[in-house]
Amino acid sequence: DPASDFMTMFNIWTGCFGNPKAGKSSVRAGELKKFCKIHFMSFKRMREWQDVHEQILDILEESRMDARMETETEARPHKEIPAASDDLFSDGYAAIHQSVLSGFLSNIAVKKEKNIYQAAKGRQVMIFPGSGQFNKAGQWIVAAEMVETSRLFARRVATISLRWLEPLGGSLCKYTYSNPRWQRSREAVVADQQVSLFGLVIVSGRTVLFGPVDPEKATEIFIQSALMENDVRNLLPFMLHNRELIEDVRDMENRVRRRDFLVAEADLIQFYKNRLAGVYDMPSLKKRIKENGSDDFLRMQPSDVLAASPDDARLSLFPDHVAMGAEAFDCDYHFEPGQENDGITVRVPVASADRIPLESTGWIIPGLLPEKITELIKGLPKSHRKQLVPVSATVSVIMEEMPRFKGSLTGSLSRFIHDRFRVDIPADAWNEDALPDYLKLRISLTDSKGREIVSSRDKAVLRQSVAHAPDDMEGLAAERRKWERANLLAWDFPDLPESIPLTDRKGREVLAYPALEVADGAVNLRLFTNKTKAESAHPEGVGALYHLYFIKDFKFLEKTMVLPAGLEPAAWHFGGGKSLRRQMIRRVEMDLFFKNIRTQNDFSDHARQMVNRIMPAGQGLLADVLPVLEAFREAQAVIAHLESVHKTGPVMGAFAADLRQSLQHLMPENFIEIHDSLVLRHLARYLKAVAIRA
């Protein structure tokens, strides 16, 4: 039999003694001797086999068990065993071999290579060459015996289904669980289950409910993902209530730019843990709510979410609307330093943009006005600034006495300071551009449906052509169909003008700006309605096209830019050697190819000029970077030694932390991209200075 030595034995029996359904064999000794002679078998062993069979039948009859029940005897189609052959096993084959497995369960094995199998309990076996399964066996096998001679052999072998093992293994199976997580589709905490039997993995990656396995941990995951992150199909009423309460507190924090009103996340989690022990899915949550009669026990109160009570008078200085000119506009507050939307965003419909006096945008909201005036005074030239010290006292006088919202902020300051302090400050001495972003209004122009068209902290956005919604520009859609293209691989499109004139519904001329951009790794040509964004995106798009043009050169350069083995640990701080190579490649692109090129001829001319410049530029950059990494490694080592020697000294600990901050300032993760070649050549000296300080 091509699948089983056990079935081969069955076939020998039926070939000699006939169908086992007939009961005891009636084959005479002479016929048996003739059969054995023809088929080269042992007459003595066949008689023993026949006798044992008859004895078993006698025992069954004495026990009143029917030995002639109807069973399927055909094993399976006679073809080679494929890798996944479960569907080819017949019912009779499955019944016989499941019976065999129940006795020889520890003799299972899984294929490693041809005829070599990993057996239970860490053993490695080979199918005996005399077996009918040699060179034929499937992925999983069972053997009647394991015999060790020159090596460990599996004898009397059959291919089995992996699906039979777990039900037969029962309590012998070992279950382990990994990657417990919340699954939104099932609204329950699940994990990956692995089942092993005698050291062999028989099931891996099965997704099962994790709650019955570890109720406490499952409850924690459920609270974090389902309740804290609201990752459910349908929010329950108490979840909406709690989310609104938390968002109100966060809005207070955003307004006053503090992060100490809302309690810690651990406290919010503990609130639920105290009430939901043993709950790890949505059905059990709904059951718990039903048992309590309502969800009131899960509704947070202000005292549950507030760590500190905000000052109502202080909050009143951060209104929901900002007055600019004769109108007031909705505003949003965000406390996210470094992000684009940090500070106050005022939403202005494009239809109202022309009516807003530009000088009104400088006043900002009352709550941040003292801080803005303080920064403006600190930004004055020293000759003016020293006449207004102490600055805090000057600002207090200004806030108490200066008239508000009349003309521009800087103009009002100049007039008031001249009248009150007799200090002349010219208008061009005020440096509003140097203010932190959160002290400058972020103006968001919206269309008729409230969707943002463009945003900027420059008040001039109210007067630019982009202040008109794209829907108001006649012919914009047609021009986009004409110009825009995606997934560019070469400069195979027309030359790009600086701008394209369009007309809005009021008959005024507005402009669109064709430019290249890089989005999701692809180079696209599109029309911008914002000139600043077009000018910012285009050089990078040109550089990406040049990268495709010189792709072989860049790939060869990347292979050659290998760090010495001794500097690999230093590179880990910057994401590893591969990350540094990517930074250096991008730096070469920026230096050589980030150009405002707008015609195909200029593109080709510049490409010819750069043919032999890529490799020298890359090698030169590498030569500049290696001393920097060496100096960085040495500085780190000295600071680490300093910290280890003075572990308990607060003064030296603070000094070491200051040194590490200096290192971080000099060497951020993207230092190659942000520092030009001149600064790179000096970085090693700066880093050595830090080491000498240490």
Side-chain angles (χ1 to χ4, degrees):
D1 188 281
S4 169
D5 291 341
F6 298 100
M7 296 306 298
T8 298
M9 295 169 63
F10 178 81
N11 294 339
I12 293 173
W13 174 274
T14 56
C16 178
F17 301 110
N19 193 324
K21 294 180 185 178
K24 294 183 179 180
S25 171
S26 59
V27 177
R28 295 186 177 89
E31 294 174 343
L32 182 57
K33 286 181 179 180
K34 183 178 179 181
F35 179 88
C36 291
K37 183 176 181 180
I38 293 172
H39 296 94
F40 303 95
M41 295 183 181
S42 167
F43 171 74
K44 184 177 180 180
R45 294 287 176 260
M46 294 292 281
R47 282 299 300 269
E48 288 177 355
W49 194 4
Q50 187 180 25
D51 291 342
V52 170
H53 181 259
E54 291 177 354
Q55 292 167 15
I56 291 174
L57 288 179
D58 290 339
I59 293 171
L60 292 175
E61 289 176 1
E62 290 173 3
S63 303
R64 297 181 181 179
M65 297 177 67
D66 185 2
R68 292 186 290 274
M69 59 198 306
E70 291 293 326
T71 59
E72 180 185 348
T73 58
E74 182 182 359
R76 57 187 313 295
H78 288 266
K79 59 176 73 174
E80 293 300 318
I81 307 283
S85 55
D86 292 4
D87 57 335
L88 298 179
F89 294 116
S90 68
D91 292 342
Y93 184 97
I96 291 172
H97 289 82
Q98 287 175 22
S99 298
V100 170
L101 269 172
S102 67
F104 295 130
L105 199 56
S106 62
N107 283 1
I108 60 173
V110 61
K111 181 180 284 188
K112 291 183 65 179
E113 54 186 282
K114 189 175 183 180
N115 292 318
I116 305 298
Y117 283 72
Q118 183 66 44
K121 302 176 183 177
R123 298 175 297 173
Q124 184 170 289
V125 302
M126 178 179 178
I127 295 179
F128 187 65
S131 168
Q133 295 306 293
F134 193 73
N135 293 334
K136 297 179 181 178
Q139 187 67 19
W140 285 84
I141 61 169
V142 63
E145 55 186 349
M146 301 287 188
V147 179
E148 187 166 6
T149 54
S150 59
R151 65 178 301 162
L152 189 62
F153 288 104
R155 302 186 60 156
R156 204 169 305 156
V157 174
T159 296
I160 59 172
S161 169
L162 177 62
R163 291 201 299 251
W164 301 340
L165 297 178
E166 186 180 3
L168 290 170
S171 61
L172 297 175
C173 293
K174 181 180 179 181
Y175 294 85
T176 57
Y177 301 87
S178 63
N179 189 26
R181 61 197 181 277
W182 170 254
Q183 192 171 72
R184 186 174 187 269
S185 59
R186 296 174 67 168
E187 292 198 320
V189 179
V190 300
D192 296 330
Q193 183 189 66
Q194 177 178 286
V195 186
S196 57
L197 180 61
F198 298 117
L200 297 178
V201 177
I202 59 175
V203 177
S204 63
R206 176 198 288 163
T207 301
V208 297
L209 295 176
F210 187 61
V213 178
D214 189 340
E216 185 176 350
K217 187 172 183 180
T219 298
E220 291 180 4
I221 296 172
F222 171 73
I223 292 172
Q224 178 64 50
S225 299
L227 303 186
M228 295 297 296
E229 299 174 10
N230 295 310
D231 187 19
V232 295
R233 290 199 294 264
N234 297 300
L235 293 175
L236 299 182
F238 82 89
M239 298 171 70
L240 293 169
H241 170 270
N242 293 348
R243 184 174 69 175
E244 183 176 347
L245 194 62
I246 291 171
E247 286 177 352
D248 287 344
V249 177
R250 283 181 175 151
D251 183 58
M252 296 177 193
E253 293 180 332
N254 288 335
R255 290 171 189 255
V256 301
R257 300 187 68 79
R258 291 172 53 182
R259 280 287 181 256
D260 56 0
F261 288 165
L262 184 66
V263 298
E265 185 177 90
D267 296 323
L268 299 176
I269 292 174
Q270 191 61 44
F271 172 88
Y272 286 121
K273 288 177 69 174
N274 294 339
R275 295 159 174 78
L276 295 176
V279 174
Y280 39 73
D281 55 25
M282 291 303 289
S284 60
L285 173 63
K286 293 174 181 177
K287 181 180 178 182
R288 181 67 58 87
I289 292 173
K290 186 176 181 181
E291 291 172 352
N292 282 269
S294 72
D295 63 1
D296 289 345
F297 73 108
L298 293 175
R299 291 179 179 252
M300 295 179 179
Q301 302 303 316
S303 59
D304 296 318
V305 298
L306 279 172
S309 299
D311 182 359
D312 291 340
R314 172 74 172 153
L315 282 177
S316 66
L317 299 177
F318 298 86
D320 294 328
H321 309 283
V322 172
M324 293 194 296
E327 299 181 68
F329 303 96
D330 294 338
C331 62
D332 299 320
Y333 297 86
H334 296 278
F335 181 28
E336 300 176 20
Q339 299 299 315
E340 183 185 356
N341 62 347
D342 185 38
I344 307 103
T345 297
V346 181
R347 297 190 300 276
V348 178
V350 291
S352 303
D354 290 341
R355 299 194 295 271
I356 297 176
L358 295 183
E359 61 271 14
S360 67
T361 62
W363 284 94
I364 209 168
I365 61 169
L368 290 179
L369 191 57
E371 190 173 352
K372 182 172 183 177
I373 294 174
T374 300
E375 292 297 323
L376 285 171
I377 293 176
K378 289 181 177 179
L380 289 171
K382 185 177 181 180
S383 58
H384 302 303
R385 185 176 68 248
K386 67 182 182 181
Q387 300 180 67
L388 300 174
V389 293
V391 174
S392 58
T394 302
V395 172
S396 296
V397 172
I398 292 172
M399 292 302 299
E400 290 176 7
E401 302 179 15
M402 187 180 77
R404 307 286 176 82
F405 310 110
K406 293 183 179 180
S408 68
L409 173 61
T410 54
S412 298
L413 285 172
S414 292
R415 288 191 297 272
F416 179 80
I417 290 173
H418 174 269
D419 295 340
R420 182 67 168 78
F421 300 103
R422 300 303 174 186
V423 178
D424 288 325
I425 301 177
D428 58 1
W430 300 102
N431 188 5
E432 289 190 272
D433 292 337
L435 290 172
D437 281 347
Y438 73 90
L439 293 177
K440 295 183 281 189
L441 280 182
R442 178 176 176 268
I443 301 169
S444 172
L445 298 178
T446 59
D447 61 16
S448 57
K449 296 182 180 179
R451 297 172 300 192
E452 183 178 290
I453 302 166
V454 66
S455 64
S456 176
R457 298 185 192 272
D458 184 356
K459 58 189 177 184
V461 72
L462 296 170
R463 299 292 183 266
Q464 292 175 357
S465 59
V466 294
H468 305 279
D471 293 342
D472 293 338
M473 295 184 184
E474 295 183 1
L476 179 62
E479 290 294 334
R480 280 182 167 160
R481 287 193 296 270
K482 174 183 174 182
W483 285 96
E484 292 190 346
R485 296 179 60 184
N487 298 315
L488 296 171
L489 300 177
W491 195 298
D492 53 1
F493 46 89
D495 296 343
L496 303 179
E498 292 289 343
S499 61
I500 298 173
L502 301 170
T503 305
D504 68 8
R505 291 180 180 176
K506 296 181 180 179
R508 295 175 297 191
E509 183 180 273
V510 292
L511 299 175
Y513 306 92
L516 297 174
E517 69 163 0
V518 178
D520 299 326
V523 186
N524 306 319
L525 171 59
R526 57 167 290 204
L527 289 185
F528 287 79
T529 55
N530 185 321
K531 183 179 181 180
T532 302
K533 290 185 177 180
E535 291 175 345
S536 174
H538 186 66
E540 184 177 3
V542 172
L545 272 190
Y546 275 119
H547 186 96
L548 295 172
Y549 187 90
F550 290 107
I551 187 65
K552 292 183 180 179
D553 300 73
F554 279 112
K555 285 183 178 179
F556 182 72
L557 176 62
E558 186 172 3
K559 291 179 181 178
T560 62
M561 301 181 82
V562 179
L563 298 178
L567 291 180
E568 279 291 341
W572 296 341
H573 182 78
F574 310 102
K578 288 185 178 179
S579 177
L580 282 182
R581 280 198 295 274
R582 285 194 295 268
Q583 282 195 53
M584 287 188 279
I585 294 294
R586 181 167 176 81
R587 183 78 225 184
V588 172
E589 290 179 8
M590 293 170 65
D591 291 342
L592 299 183
F593 300 115
F594 276 33
K595 307 291 182 183
N596 185 25
I597 292 175
R598 309 193 71 84
T599 69
Q600 189 174 27
N601 286 337
D602 289 346
F603 184 88
S604 301
D605 290 344
H606 188 67
R608 284 192 292 270
Q609 296 173 20
M610 296 293 112
V611 166
N612 297 317
R613 295 278 301 279
I614 296 175
M615 186 61 64
Q619 293 301 318
L621 179 60
L622 180 62
D624 289 338
V625 168
L626 292 181
V628 175
L629 289 178
E630 181 66 35
F632 178 76
R633 183 185 66 178
E634 293 175 0
Q636 274 198 318
V638 175
I639 295 173
H641 177 71
L642 180 69
E643 290 173 330
S644 65
V645 173
H646 302 280
K647 289 182 180 178
T648 59
V651 175
M652 296 303 291
F655 177 64
D658 181 60
L659 292 177
R660 286 211 176 273
Q661 188 173 3
S662 297
L663 278 187
Q664 182 63 33
H665 176 72
L666 288 170
M667 300 283 286
E669 190 168 332
N670 60 338
F671 75 97
I672 296 177
E673 292 185 20
I674 65 174
H675 293 319
D676 60 26
S677 57
L678 183 62
V679 175
L680 278 176
R681 295 190 185 103
H682 289 283
L683 271 182
R685 179 164 60 85
Y686 300 156
L687 294 169
K688 288 177 182 177
V690 174
I692 291 171
R693 287 185 65 206

